[in-house]
Amino acid sequence: MIDRCIFADVLIEGLDDWVPIDQLIWAAREAAKGRDWKEFFVELLHFLLEDDLIQIGELAAEGFSPWREEVREVVQLVINDLERLSWEPKLGSRAWIANTEAGNQVARSLIDC
C-alpha cells in the first residue's frame, strides 16, 4: 500500500487545476527512499489510476482531454512520453493529471498530510 501523503500534494493541487506530470515525478523522487524512483513512479501512477483517483490526458483548446485507454496502456503512454523527454519533462510532457471526483474527495481528506 502506498502512503497517501506521498501523493497528497498532487491531488490537493488537482482540486483547483490540472497538474503537470512533473509533480508526480517529483513526488516519486522524494518518496522513493533508496528504490529506483522511476519504478516507484510507475507503481504510483498505476495505483492512482487503478484506484480511480486521477485521469491522465492532454490539454487541448477545449480543456482537458482524458486518454481513454486501459490503465496499463495509459501507464505505457506516459512512460513512452517521459522516455522521449529523458524523464525531465519541464512542463513539456503531453501527459497531464486531472483528479476524478474520488480523487477530489481523497484530496480534501489529505489537506493536513
Side-chain angles (χ1 to χ4, degrees), residues 8 11-15 99 102-112:
L11 289 184
I12 291 167
E13 187 174 330
L15 286 168
N99 287 4
N104 284 339
Q105 290 175 0
V106 170
R108 288 183 197 98
S109 74
L110 296 173
I111 290 177
D112 294 326

Side-chain angles (χ1 to χ4, degrees), residues 29-98:
R29 281 182 172 162
E30 291 293 309
K33 299 187 184 184
R35 294 177 58 187
D36 179 283
W37 69 265
K38 292 177 186 176
E39 288 178 15
F40 184 65
F41 168 85
V42 171
E43 181 182 335
L44 183 57
L45 178 60
H46 196 272
F47 172 82
L48 292 168
L49 288 166
E50 278 291 322
D51 278 16
D52 194 36
L53 300 177
I54 65 167
Q55 291 183 311
I56 298 292
E58 297 180 48
L59 299 185
E62 63 279 356
F64 182 80
S65 179
W67 294 346
R68 301 288 182 199
E69 291 82 1
E70 296 294 320
V71 169
R72 68 178 175 74
E73 294 169 310
V74 169
V75 169
Q76 190 59 55
L77 287 170
V78 171
I79 292 169
N80 292 347
D81 190 51
L82 292 175
E83 288 288 330
R84 174 183 68 85
L85 299 166
S86 302
W87 287 84
E88 295 289 338
K90 300 178 184 161
L91 299 177
S93 174
R94 294 181 16 227
W96 283 73
I97 300 168

